[in-house]
Amino acid sequence: MSLKRLFPIILLIIGLIIFFALGGEHYLSLETLAMHYQNLQAFTQQYYFLSVLIFMLSYIIIVSFSIPGATIMTLLGGFLFGVFFGGIWTILAATIGATITYLAVRMAFAESLKHKASGSIAKMRDGFQQNEFNYLLFLRLLPIFPFFIINIAGGVLGVSLRHFFIIPQEI
């Protein structure tokens, strides 16, 4: 396997390592959210579109690097932008972040691992082969597997990009 094919995965792993090495988990907590909520709310009111952009980029990074904290970001989206617009920005950012992970995994591993799957991964592959759209929808709407596992499995097992992108992400 060439380094060129692994490059996107290497970048995602490096990003995850940097996040924890710099103590990022301390910034992505309910305590930090509560402590800075009024400042975040004031900034959002003054710079709404910039706030949306920063929020979405942060959410995309969190999801694409598989950083634990999507729940905190989802709550923050609701607090800052309201349930309706917070939900829209969250779903859009989660979808983009998940697609980045999906594409990185697909580029690096799909061909080499697709046929080597066994156990629960083989069952997942069989489910995708029988009815890709409904199976992915089922996995996304029922919290059986963690969010990032479905993103990785979709890339490894060759789910179509179209289905992967249009089926709603769990948030």
Side-chain angles (χ1 to χ4, degrees):
M1 187 169 305
S2 72
L3 185 61
K4 182 179 175 183
R5 292 187 87 188
L6 290 177
F7 186 71
I9 298 296
I10 292 169
L11 279 179
L12 293 178
I13 292 170
I14 288 171
L16 188 61
I17 291 169
I18 290 171
F19 174 80
F20 285 109
L22 295 176
E25 69 277 7
H26 301 296
Y27 298 103
L28 203 54
S29 68
L30 286 175
E31 295 81 23
T32 304
L33 176 60
M35 191 177 349
H36 298 285
Y37 176 70
Q38 290 180 342
N39 293 334
L40 291 168
Q41 190 71 22
F43 184 85
T44 300
Q45 288 175 356
Q46 189 170 5
Y47 304 103
Y48 184 82
F49 292 109
L50 180 60
S51 298
V52 170
L53 181 65
I54 292 169
F55 171 79
M56 288 185 66
L57 286 173
S58 299
Y59 206 115
I60 289 167
I61 290 168
I62 286 169
V63 171
S64 62
F65 287 97
S66 300
I67 294 169
T71 302
I72 302 295
M73 290 298 292
T74 300
L75 293 171
L76 179 61
F79 290 149
L80 294 179
F81 308 112
V83 174
F84 181 75
F85 285 110
I88 289 172
W89 307 142
T90 297
I91 290 171
L92 185 57
T95 300
I96 293 168
T99 302
I100 290 170
T101 302
Y102 160 86
L103 289 171
V105 169
R106 186 172 175 177
M107 181 179 177
F109 300 120
E111 291 307 313
S112 61
L113 295 179
K114 184 176 183 178
H115 302 293
K116 294 180 184 178
S118 63
S120 60
I121 299 294
K123 289 178 186 176
M124 203 180 280
R125 179 191 61 213
D126 295 341
F128 283 130
Q129 287 175 350
Q130 290 173 8
N131 189 336
E132 181 179 276
F133 183 87
N134 287 334
Y135 193 71
L136 184 57
L137 182 63
F138 172 79
L139 289 175
R140 289 256 173 88
L141 295 179
L142 294 176
I144 297 170
F145 296 102
F147 184 49
F148 73 95
I149 296 292
I150 297 169
N151 299 337
I152 292 169
V156 169
L157 300 176
V159 172
S160 75
L161 178 59
R162 185 181 69 139
H163 285 159
F164 190 85
F165 191 79
I166 63 170
I167 295 175
Q169 303 292 312
E170 1 173 300
I171 53 173

